C-alpha cells in the first residue's frame, strides 16, 4: 500500500483519516440525489480534499437521467472559459486513458497534472482531478479519488437499481395477473394485489397461515403437490391449467398457471418459486359465448334455410296447384260438356224413342204376325213363322245395339284414376248441377269430413255420378215444400268413405225401388231411366257401391261407398 508510506506525518495521517471519513459519509448524503447532484457533490468534496485546481466528473445518461458533466474549479472562471476548460478536460480524458497525465494548463500558465479515476458505467464515465502542483497526484490523492469514484458509482448504480425495482414492483403490483413468490416449502412470501382480490384473501396475516397448495381447489392441491411441484423443482417450470378457489365464496376459478423456480444466480441453487397465473374465467366465458353465438348462428341459418325451403316448397306447391287448377278448369269444361250431354240426354230421348221405336215397332209387328200365323187355320208353315220370329229377334238386337251405343256415349271418358280431392270434386259437381238445371230455391248443405278428403277416382266419371244424384234430387224436390239437399262425406272406417246425397223430395215408390238401378226405369215424362244404372256401373268400376234408402221424414237418400285410397 504505497499511500500508507506517505502518511508518516501525523498531520497527514489525520487529514487522510478525516477525508476518508468525509468520503464515507457521502453515500448517506447522496441517497436522495440524482446523477448530476451526486457528480456535483463528489466534485466539490474532492476539490478540497485533493487541494486540486479542477475536478471534472462525467457520467453517461442512464435510463431516466440525462448525462451529467460537472466541473468545479478552485478559482472562479467565467462561464466562457469554463466551457473551454471543460472541452479540453473532456478531450484529455477521452484521448488518453492513462491514469496520470500532463496537459497545458487551460486555467492559466504552465502545465496541469491530471489524475483520472474511471466510474463503473463503461464508456467515458469517470472523475478527473487536475492540479498545477508538479507533485500531484500523491498516492493518497489517488486513493481518495478512487474511493470517491467507487462511492459515486455505487450510489448511482443503487439509485438506478432502486428505480428499476420500483418500476418492477409497480408493474407487479398493478398487474391483473396473479403474481406470487413462495419459499421452496410452499410458504407464501409475497402476493400482488390481484392475487389477494382474485382469491378473496383478506390480508397478509391470513396468507402467512396458508400454504400455496391451500390456494388451489382441494383435489388440485394434492395433484399440484404430488405431481407438479416435482416438475417445477426438476425442470424449473410447469405451465398448465389449475383450479384455484375463492376463499370467501368458495368459487372454483380456473387459472392458466406459469409456475417456476427461482435460482440463486451465483450458486445456481433454487431459492424460491414464483407464479404468474391468469384467471381463465373471462376467456372461458368468451369461448362459451362464442360457442353459443355459433350455435345460435347455426340454428338461425338452419331456421332461415328451412324457412327458405318451406317458402320454396310452398311456391312449388302453388305452382303445382296452379297447374292443377288449369287442368281442373279444362276438366270442368269437359265435365260441363258431359253434363250438357247428360241433360241433353232427356231431349235426346225423343230422338232415341224414334230410333228405338222403329226396331221395337218392327219387333212387335213381327211377333204379332208370327202369333197370328201360328193361330190361323190352317196354320202357316213353320219356316215362315221362324223367318218372322227371326226378323223380330233381329229388331230386338238392333234396339239393344242402340241402347249399348247410348251407354257408351254417356259413360265415355277417361278411365284413368288418381287421387282426387273429394270436397273439391263435389263442390264442382254441385256447381254444375245448379248451373245446369237451376236449384229451384232449394237449400244445399255440403258437409265434408276432413278424414274423407282423398279418393282414388276418375274425376269426370265420379262427378258424373254426383251430378246425376244431385240433379235427380233437385228434380224430385221440384214440387216439395221442404227443399233441402244435403251432400255429406264421411270416413266410415279404415277402408271406406261414404258420400250421402239426401233430399226432401217425393221419395220413391216401392215399384220403382225394385228396379231403380236397372236401365229404362223412370217416372219422368222426359226421363230415360238410364242415369242411376250408369251411376252404379261407374261406382262399381271404382270398386264401390251405390245404394238407396228412404229418407226419414220424406225424400230419398243415395249412398255412394268408395274405398279409402291405399296410400292412406
Ligand atoms: P231418369 O232420371 O232419366 O228417370 P234415373 O235412372 O236417373 O233416370 O232415375 C230413375 C228414376 O228413379 C227416376 O225417374 C225417378 O223416378 C227415380 N228417382 C231417382 N232419383 C230420385 C230421387 N232423388 N227422388 C225420387 N225419385 C228418384
Amino acid at each position: 500500500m504505497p499511500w500508507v508510506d506517505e502518511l508518516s506525518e501525523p498531520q497527514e495521517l489525520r487529514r487522510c483519516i478525516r477525508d476518508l471519513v468525509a468520503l464515507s459519509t457521502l453515500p448517506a448524503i447522496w441517497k436522495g440525489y440524482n446523477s448530476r447532484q451526486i457528480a456535483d457533490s463528489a466534485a466539490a468534496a474532492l476539490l478540497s480534499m485533493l487541494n486540486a485546481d479542477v475536478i471534472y466528473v462525467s457520467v453517461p445518461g442512464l435510463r431516466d437521467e440525462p448525462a451529467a458533466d460537472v466541473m468545479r474549479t478552485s478559482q472562479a472562471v467565467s462561464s466562457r472559459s469554463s466551457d473551454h476548460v471543460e472541452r479540453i478536460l473532456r478531450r484529455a480524458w477521452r484521448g488518453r486513458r492513462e491514469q496520470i497525465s500532463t496537459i497545458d494548463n487551460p486555467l492559466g500558465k504552465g502545465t496541469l497534472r491530471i489524475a483520472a479515476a474511471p466510474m463503473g458505467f463503461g464508456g467515458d464515465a469517470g472523475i478527473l482531478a487536475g492540479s498545477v502542483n508538479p507533485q500531484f497526484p500523491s498516492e493518497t490523492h489517488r486513493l481518495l479519488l478512487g474511493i470517491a469514484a467507487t462511492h459515486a458509482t455505487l450510489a448511482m448504480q443503487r439509485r438506478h437499481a432502486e428505480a428499476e425495482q420500483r418500476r418492477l414492483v409497480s408493474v407487479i403490483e398493478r398487474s391483473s395477473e396473479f403474481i406470487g413468490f413462495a419459499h421452496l416449502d410452499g410458504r407464501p412470501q409475497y402476493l400482488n394485489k390481484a392475487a389477494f382480490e382474485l382469491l378473496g384473501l383478506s390480508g397478509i396475516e391470513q396468507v402467512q397461515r396458508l400454504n400455496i397448495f391451500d390456494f388451489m381447489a382441494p383435489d388440485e392441491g394434492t395433484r399440484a403437490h404430488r405431481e407438479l411441484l416435482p416438475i417445477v423443482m426438476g425442470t424449473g417450470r410447469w405451465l398448465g391449467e389449475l383450479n384455484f378457489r375463492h376463499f370467501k365464496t368458495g368459487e372454483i376459478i380456473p387459472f392458466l398457471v406459469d409456475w417456476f423456480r427461482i435460482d440463486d444466480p451465483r450458486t445456481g441453487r433454487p431459492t424460491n418459486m414464483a407464479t404468474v397465473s391468469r384467471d381463465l374465467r373471462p376467456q372461458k366465458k368468451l369461448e362459451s359465448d362464442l360457442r353459443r353465438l355459433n350455435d345460435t348462428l347455426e340454428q338461425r341459418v338452419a331456421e332461415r334455410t328451412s324457412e327458405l325451403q318451406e317458402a320454396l316448397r310452398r311456391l312449388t306447391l302453388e305452382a303445382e296447384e296452379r297447374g292443377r287448377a288449369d287442368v281442373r278448369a279444362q276438366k270442368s269444361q269437359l265435365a260441363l260438356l258431359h253434363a250438357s250431354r247428360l241433360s241433353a240426354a232427356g231431349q235426346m230421348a225423343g230422338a232415341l224413342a224414334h230410333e228405338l221405336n222403329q226396331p221395337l215397332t218392327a219387333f212387335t209387328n213381327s211377333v204379332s204376325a208370327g202369333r197370328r200365323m201360328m193361330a190361323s187355320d190352317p196354320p202357316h208353315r213353320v219356316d215362315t213363322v221362324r223367318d218372322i220370329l227371326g226378323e223380330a229377334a233381329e229388331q230386338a238386337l238392333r234396339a239393344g245395339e242402340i241402347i249399348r251405343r247410348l251407354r257408351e256415349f254417356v259413360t265415355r271418358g277417361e278411365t284413368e284414376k288418381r287421387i282426387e280431392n273429394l270436397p273439391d270434386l263435389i263442390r264442382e259437381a254441385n256447381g254444375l248441377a245448379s248451373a245446369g238445371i237451376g236449384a229451384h230455391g232449394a237449400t244445399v248443405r255440403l258437409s265434408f269430413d276432413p278424414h274423407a278428403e282423398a279418393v282414388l277416382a276418375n274425376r269426370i266419371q265420379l262427378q258424373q255420378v254426383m251430378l246425376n244424384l244431385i240433379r235427380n234430387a233437385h228434380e224430385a224436390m221440384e214440387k216439395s215444400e221442404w227443399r233441402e239437399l244435403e251432400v255429406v262425406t264421411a270416413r266410415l272406417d279404415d277402408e271406406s268413405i261414404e258420400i250421402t246425397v239426401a233430399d226432401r223430395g217425393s221419395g220413391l215408390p216401392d215399384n220403382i225401388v225394385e228396379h231403380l238401378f236397372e236401365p229404362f226405369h223412370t217416372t219422368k215424362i222426359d226421363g230415360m231411366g238410364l242415369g242411376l244404372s250408369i251411376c252404379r256401373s261407374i261406382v262399381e268400376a271404382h270398386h264401390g257401391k251405390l245404394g238407396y234408402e228412404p229418407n226419414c221424414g220424406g225424400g230419398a237418400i243415395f249412398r255412394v261407398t268408395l274405398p279409402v285410397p291405399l296410400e292412406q
Side-chain angles (χ1 to χ4, degrees):
M1 281 187 217
W3 56 274
V4 177
D5 304 334
E6 284 182 5
L7 302 174
S8 47
E9 295 290 318
Q11 199 184 342
E12 284 292 323
L13 188 60
R14 254 201 313 276
R15 195 173 156 194
C16 182
I17 290 170
R18 192 192 65 214
D19 288 345
L20 282 173
V21 170
L23 276 182
S24 71
T25 59
L26 282 177
I29 296 167
W30 288 343
K31 253 194 176 148
Y33 283 17
N34 63 25
S35 297
R36 172 163 287 279
Q37 289 165 325
I38 292 171
D40 195 42
S41 161
L46 283 172
L47 197 68
S48 77
M49 281 179 200
L50 306 184
N51 201 16
D53 291 295
V54 62
I55 300 287
Y56 173 68
V57 183
S58 176
V59 181
L62 291 169
R63 209 196 259 265
D64 338 88
E65 287 176 0
D69 286 299
V70 172
M71 189 180 76
R72 285 251 178 175
T73 49
S74 56
Q75 288 164 18
V77 280
S78 69
S79 70
R80 245 185 75 208
S81 52
S82 166
D83 287 349
H84 171 67
V85 174
E86 205 174 308
R87 262 199 310 280
I88 290 175
L89 289 176
R90 206 178 294 139
R91 210 179 310 132
W93 169 242
R94 283 182 192 150
R96 293 173 238 138
R97 289 299 163 89
E98 305 93 59
Q99 301 227 317
I100 303 167
S101 55
T102 306
I103 59 165
D104 289 337
N105 183 9
L107 296 161
K109 291 188 184 133
T111 53
L112 193 70
R113 295 273 292 164
I114 291 177
M119 284 168 78
F121 300 113
D124 297 330
I127 305 178
L128 226 71
S131 171
V132 290
N133 178 1
Q135 306 302 317
F136 183 84
S138 68
E139 286 300 328
T140 317
H141 290 151
R142 290 180 64 187
L143 170 74
L144 292 173
L145 191 61
I147 289 175
T150 308
H151 277 338
T153 306
L154 286 175
M156 284 185 210
Q157 274 174 348
R158 191 184 59 205
R159 184 178 164 73
H160 292 298
E162 278 171 3
E164 205 65 39
Q165 196 179 351
R166 266 199 305 281
R167 238 191 313 274
L168 212 67
V169 168
S170 94
V171 168
I172 291 176
E173 267 302 302
R174 282 172 201 205
S175 168
S176 60
E177 315 272 46
F178 180 116
I179 299 177
F181 297 88
H183 295 285
L184 293 178
D185 59 6
R187 277 178 299 123
Q189 276 178 297
Y190 166 83
L191 287 183
N192 69 347
K193 220 164 128 236
F196 275 93
E197 283 169 9
L198 283 165
L199 299 196
L201 291 160
S202 48
I204 192 73
E205 300 76 27
Q206 182 189 10
V207 173
Q208 277 164 353
R209 287 194 300 273
L210 299 167
N211 193 291
I212 56 164
F213 303 106
D214 298 328
F215 296 162
M216 298 160 197
D219 43 338
E220 296 278 69
T222 321
R223 179 167 86 99
H225 189 259
R226 290 212 188 122
E227 295 171 25
L228 311 182
L229 181 62
I231 298 174
V232 176
M233 286 303 145
T235 67
R237 188 175 185 197
W238 180 82
L239 183 76
E241 219 179 296
L242 265 183
N243 287 329
F244 284 20
R245 73 181 166 111
H246 193 279
F247 278 78
K248 284 186 184 143
T249 62
E251 185 193 354
I252 301 298
I253 308 166
F255 273 89
L256 178 67
V257 175
D258 189 352
W259 185 1
F260 47 91
R261 196 183 67 196
I262 298 174
D263 298 338
D264 184 326
R266 282 166 303 167
T267 61
R269 289 227 183 95
T271 54
N272 303 79
M273 49 190 176
T275 184
V276 177
S277 304
R278 174 173 304 167
D279 176 4
L280 286 178
R281 280 174 302 180
Q283 190 183 325
K284 297 223 172 212
K285 185 177 175 311
L286 198 74
E287 280 168 11
S288 90
D289 284 355
L290 265 170
R291 251 197 314 274
R292 213 170 322 122
L293 197 73
N294 199 32
D295 289 351
T296 351
L297 225 115
E298 269 176 22
Q299 194 186 333
R300 274 215 236 119
V301 168
E303 276 170 16
R304 194 81 194 94
T305 312
S306 86
E307 273 170 30
L308 285 172
Q309 278 171 346
E310 177 58 23
L312 192 71
R313 195 184 65 81
R314 252 185 278 127
L315 272 173
T316 317
L317 282 180
E318 267 171 37
E320 284 172 7
E321 181 53 35
R322 220 170 293 135
R324 271 200 298 273
D326 288 350
V327 173
R328 263 207 305 278
Q330 278 174 5
K331 283 187 178 173
S332 288
Q333 283 202 319
L334 202 68
L336 202 63
L337 208 70
H338 270 265
S340 61
R341 234 186 233 141
L342 266 182
S343 59
Q347 292 156 23
M348 280 171 63
L352 273 167
H354 177 74
E355 283 269 324
L356 284 172
N357 208 24
Q358 204 201 346
L360 287 178
T361 312
F363 170 83
T364 316
N365 290 343
S366 298
V367 172
S368 306
R371 219 169 58 199
R372 269 199 316 276
M373 281 178 182
M374 286 200 295
S376 67
D377 195 22
H380 277 69
R381 288 171 49 137
V382 175
D383 47 355
T384 315
V385 176
R386 194 178 52 218
D387 288 348
I388 289 285
L389 289 179
E391 269 173 36
E394 247 176 55
Q395 292 308 320
L397 283 175
R398 223 184 111 204
E401 180 59 17
I402 290 168
I403 291 162
R404 194 185 59 75
R405 280 215 308 273
L406 176 71
R407 278 178 79 131
E408 258 182 23
F409 167 77
V410 181
T411 57
R412 185 171 62 211
E414 299 160 52
T415 48
E416 192 196 330
K417 294 189 195 80
R418 45 208 269 185
I419 300 289
E420 295 291 350
N421 183 287
L422 195 52
D424 282 356
L425 188 147
I426 293 174
R427 265 189 226 105
E428 269 178 43
N430 180 54
L432 286 169
S434 310
I437 57 148
H440 308 292
T443 310
V444 181
R445 222 160 51 73
L446 306 180
S447 163
F448 304 122
D449 181 347
H451 302 294
E453 290 201 330
V455 68
L456 181 68
N458 178 297
R459 191 178 181 86
I460 295 298
Q461 288 187 348
L462 195 57
Q463 271 190 336
Q464 232 169 280
V465 172
M466 294 315 300
L467 192 68
N468 209 55
L469 295 180
I470 294 169
R471 207 193 52 189
N472 274 352
H474 280 303
E475 283 173 358
M477 290 193 294
E478 253 171 32
K479 291 189 182 110
S480 296
E481 301 239 318
W482 183 13
R483 290 179 202 163
E484 191 177 287
L485 170 66
E486 257 193 318
V487 183
V488 179
T489 63
R491 174 78 171 247
L492 294 184
D493 49 40
D494 284 351
E495 283 158 16
S496 33
I497 287 168
E498 186 185 69
I499 312 160
T500 9
V501 181
D503 64 58
R504 292 296 172 186
S506 52
L508 284 147
D510 290 346
N511 61 326
I512 293 287
V513 172
E514 268 177 57
H515 307 286
L516 190 59
F517 297 102
E518 291 171 19
F520 307 115
H521 281 88
T522 180
T523 55
K524 299 168 195 166
I525 305 160
D526 56 350
M528 281 177 44
L530 280 172
L532 287 176
S533 104
I534 292 168
C535 285
R536 181 171 264 188
S537 309
I538 291 175
V539 172
E540 282 171 358
H542 283 75
H543 310 289
K545 283 185 184 139
L546 172 62
Y548 159 81
E549 68 195 64
N551 199 352
C552 178
I557 298 179
F558 284 86
R559 288 186 194 280
V560 179
T561 317
L562 291 169
V564 170
L566 275 183
E567 291 93 316
Q568 299 250 312

